[in-house]
Amino acid sequence: MFTTRPTLQGTFGMVSSTHWLASQSAMAVLEDGGNAFDAAVAAGFVLHVVEPHLNGPAGDVPILLAPAGGRVRVLCGQGPAPAGATIAHYRSLGLELVPGTGPLAAVIPGAFDAWMVLLRDHGTRTPAEVLTYAIGYAEHGHPAVERITGTIESVRELFETEWTSSAEVWLPGGAAPAPGSLMRNPGLAATWRRLLAEAGAAGPDREAQIEAARRTWREGFIGEAIAAHAARPAMDSTGERHAGVLTGDDLAGWSAGYEEPVTYDWRGWTVCKAGPWSQGPVLLQQLALLDGPLEGGLNGVVSPEGYGSPEYLHALIEASKLAMADREAWYGDSAEVPLEDLLSPGYNAARRALIGERAVPGLRPGAPGGRPPVLPAHAARAGATGGAGYDAMGIDAAATAPGTGEPTVARSGETQGDTCHVDVVDRWGNMVSATPSGGWLHSSPVVPGLGFPLGTRLQMTWLEPGLSSSLVPGRRPRTTLTPSLALRDGEPVMAFGTPGGDQQDQWQTHFFLAVALRERPVRGGWDLQGAIDAPNWHQDSFPASFYPRRARPGSVTVESRAGERAVEELRRRGHLVTVAAPWTEGRLCAVARDPQTGVLSAAANPRGMQGYAVGR
């Protein structure tokens, strides 16, 4: 089978991330004697610098970690809604949705604290040692990738007229950095150097330095600057200026914490995900739906023999629709989620019977445990429940272009941001998977003097009470960020993930099944690169998680490499198929470890010419 590059193999360490400089920085940490957790933290901070259009220090990061000989844990770097973020307050401003940009959409920043907690509890390095790579790129520059330039140009007018602190950082000399030119962020470098000076003043003890850095972020000069900035009105996606509700008390009162993963056993594998405050269990629900007999001539297609056939694609797409409908009705942090029922055999047998020969466009959430599903009113207004064609929904084509996985800016000025990912496995068997996002350069004005903006994850909540994903102070927005870890016989063997917003667990399900079903060995290991390179797809029959929360009922976007026969068969079955360019769907990274031999593997996405795997 043709692949764009080899699946890397070795015994020392492997890294895969969405940017080659982050991958190589993490590898440098491994070469210097650090472990997988040290390496992941260093990569995370480099991603803030080299992919600022995709993430930033004030963004979010869920992390799945598997210490050698220990159990898999989730480290939640998703901050909750501030104390002042009430539905009544946002409604009093005349809003029906939380804005997609600006300070009103800011949650308590989670990424920085999560990286520091990971370093403290599982790493071996000091803050200065892991931050040196990011500081170097911020001070001395890194070659700008094309998408950074395009993103800055798309919001140039906003920066020049409203977000002038952002113009100072991203339009130096009045111009966006040309692709390939050296791009610097001296303000961010200065922030990290000052933070390290304050951390170093805590003495030589590594943990004391980390705790001092965390205090500086939450209560010191960084926390003070963030709180003052959030209180200043700024233009947002509503076309009006609003002040945020994030305060110093919010920052001081929260820290990243550990949770147990949600798991599902599928044909000898155990897949681990974050809880339903993320969309992670969507992948598990898809596996549960595909773990039994299907009707409509589809029985047996989820198999090595059926893999990649039009019927296989149809089954996966319809299972994805059912799982995403349940996400919309049940997932969130603002009410109890009946997760045990959602993953139970009886529930999934009944839901599996809904997958038939024809495509069904609308949302069809289930009733786990007999509970009636409740959908947000916006879902009906967006046409997601009625099966209306997307042409009748007034959708801006610029915001829903095929293969849109990188940030886009629609003609209305609405913005979407994408995400980063990093996976690491080391020679001791430590494994980590993290999906940093939020705090994009076009999300909110740069905090003066700090060199980074706030995040906008609050846009994923509803201004409607009584929903699992309603806006509630102290509760996390339902994030799209969803890293993955997989086990065989109780041993962690694979870490993987992808950017892509609502597409993440669609693309990851496709990848996981490509690995698990084909079982094609590459020098004794799994064909990670072949699974990443395989033609991919996504569907949009649900309200998007990003402002303005549109849906495209029945819409499926398929890479042209899937072939004419697959496209024709999907259309015959009733899917509204958009054929995308051949390398546009998916941004996957993956690493693996064979516990029997100790052989490590890694692969990375070729799409976008940015992700890279390294190792030896």
Side-chain angles (χ1 to χ4, degrees):
M1 177 182 175
F2 168 79
T3 60
T4 57
R5 55 187 84 168
T7 295
L8 305 184
Q9 290 187 310
T11 57
F12 180 83
M14 291 283 163
V15 182
S16 179
S17 87
T18 48
H19 196 290
W20 63 86
L21 292 179
S23 295
Q24 190 53 51
S25 298
M27 194 66 201
V29 173
L30 295 179
E31 296 284 5
D32 194 45
N35 64 21
F37 309 113
D38 298 313
V41 175
F45 282 105
V46 169
L47 288 170
H48 296 160
V49 178
V50 300
E51 293 189 327
H53 58 311
L54 305 179
N55 77 138
D60 329 278
V61 60
I63 303 169
L64 266 70
L65 59 142
R71 71 184 193 275
V72 176
R73 302 291 301 280
V74 176
L75 177 55
C76 175
Q78 175 56 67
T86 65
I87 290 175
H89 174 68
Y90 285 69
R91 288 291 192 182
S92 74
L93 299 174
L95 300 175
E96 293 186 359
L97 295 172
V98 176
T101 62
L104 264 183
V107 293
I108 301 171
F112 178 86
D113 198 62
W115 288 126
M116 286 294 104
V117 169
L118 180 66
L119 184 68
R120 181 195 67 191
D121 296 344
H122 298 281
T124 66
R125 294 316 198 229
T126 65
E129 288 172 320
V130 294
L131 272 165
T132 184
Y133 307 93
I135 291 172
Y137 288 125
E139 280 188 338
H140 305 299
H142 58 93
V145 296
E146 289 82 354
R147 287 172 180 81
I148 294 177
T149 304
T151 302
I152 294 172
E153 287 294 347
S154 67
V155 286
R156 169 188 284 276
E157 182 179 355
L158 178 66
F159 283 5
E160 292 176 335
T161 60
E162 295 284 346
W163 296 4
T164 55
S165 60
S166 296
E168 292 173 4
V169 176
W170 310 118
L171 292 169
S181 66
L182 285 182
M183 181 176 178
R184 298 176 175 85
N185 189 342
L188 179 59
T191 295
W192 292 148
R193 288 203 179 279
R194 183 176 172 186
L195 176 138
L196 291 177
E198 297 191 11
D205 182 73
R206 190 183 73 91
E207 291 192 17
Q209 291 181 14
I210 293 170
E211 289 305 310
R214 296 178 68 208
R215 286 193 300 273
T216 297
W217 175 271
R218 292 186 292 188
E219 303 172 53
F221 80 94
I222 295 177
E224 291 172 355
I226 287 175
H229 176 70
R232 299 187 190 104
M235 181 67 71
D236 59 36
S237 54
T238 67
E240 299 179 0
R241 298 178 185 88
H242 293 110
V245 295
L246 180 65
T247 68
D249 287 342
D250 293 318
L251 290 163
W254 181 85
S255 82
Y258 294 97
E259 301 176 0
E260 295 301 312
V262 179
T263 64
Y264 186 79
D265 295 331
W266 194 84
R267 303 186 189 183
W269 294 78
T270 300
V271 182
C272 305
K273 301 290 285 187
W277 53 267
S278 76
Q279 71 173 357
V282 161
L283 191 157
L284 308 183
Q285 282 198 251
Q286 290 173 86
L287 294 180
L289 286 163
L290 298 169
D291 198 17
L294 294 164
E295 300 179 1
L298 300 174
N299 197 31
V301 299
V302 186
S303 65
E305 297 75 24
Y307 172 82
S309 67
E311 295 77 17
Y312 171 87
L313 294 179
H314 171 73
L316 264 62
I317 292 166
E318 292 302 292
S320 170
K321 290 179 184 177
L322 293 174
M324 293 298 274
D326 277 346
R327 183 196 78 161
E328 206 54 56
W330 297 109
Y331 287 25
D333 195 37
S334 300
E336 182 181 354
V337 179
L339 196 56
E340 184 175 347
D341 289 327
L342 289 169
L343 293 174
S344 67
Y347 178 78
N348 282 284
R351 297 283 281 164
R352 191 179 304 122
L354 300 177
I355 301 175
E357 180 178 347
R358 299 285 298 174
V360 179
L363 284 177
R364 294 185 291 171
R371 305 170 181 84
V374 179
L375 290 169
H378 181 84
R381 291 197 297 269
T385 59
Y390 53 83
D391 289 341
M393 294 167 56
I395 290 177
D396 188 334
T400 53
T404 311
E406 299 297 330
T408 60
V409 180
R411 289 188 293 272
S412 63
E414 300 148 6
T415 62
Q416 294 178 328
D418 202 8
T419 301
C420 309
H421 189 80
V422 59
D423 299 308
V424 189
V425 61
D426 64 26
R427 62 191 184 275
W428 300 289
N430 299 303
M431 189 176 290
V432 59
S433 180
T435 308
S437 186
W440 315 298
L441 66 85
H442 52 298
S443 63
S444 198
V446 163
V447 182
L450 297 186
F452 59 81
L454 298 178
T456 53
R457 192 65 56 179
L458 215 58
Q459 67 182 289
M460 298 181 176
T461 62
W462 295 110
L463 299 181
E464 179 181 344
L467 303 172
S468 293
S469 52
S470 298
L471 174 62
V472 175
R475 296 293 183 173
R476 293 165 289 190
R478 187 192 66 210
T479 182
T480 55
L481 308 178
T482 172
S484 303
L485 271 167
L487 291 72
R488 294 294 295 267
D489 300 321
E491 289 281 342
V493 296
M494 187 165 64
F496 57 99
T498 180
D502 294 307
Q503 290 87 11
Q504 288 181 33
D505 278 312
Q506 300 181 56
W507 290 340
Q508 289 187 72
T509 301
H510 180 272
F511 164 81
F512 173 76
L513 291 175
V515 172
L517 290 175
R518 295 187 304 173
E519 293 279 358
R520 293 178 179 174
V522 176
R523 297 178 294 277
W526 290 299
D527 184 13
L528 302 183
Q529 193 64 53
I532 288 173
D533 288 354
N536 216 325
W537 56 269
H538 80 267
Q539 59 88 14
D540 299 297
S541 293
F542 51 87
S545 294
F546 295 92
Y547 182 92
R549 316 297 300 267
R550 294 182 175 119
R552 301 177 71 195
S555 170
V556 177
T557 301
V558 181
E559 285 185 331
S560 61
R561 294 183 299 121
E564 292 183 6
R565 176 174 170 266
V567 171
E568 291 173 0
E569 178 62 16
L570 290 175
R571 285 175 172 159
R572 186 190 71 79
R573 289 177 177 269
H575 298 279
L576 302 175
V577 180
T578 296
V579 180
W583 295 95
T584 50
E585 288 287 317
R587 306 282 187 273
L588 281 141
C589 302
V591 299
R593 178 179 183 269
D594 184 338
Q596 302 300 318
T597 65
V599 171
L600 312 177
S601 304
N605 168 55
R607 301 164 179 89
M609 304 299 287
Q610 198 166 305
Y612 233 84
V614 296
R616 70 173 179 87

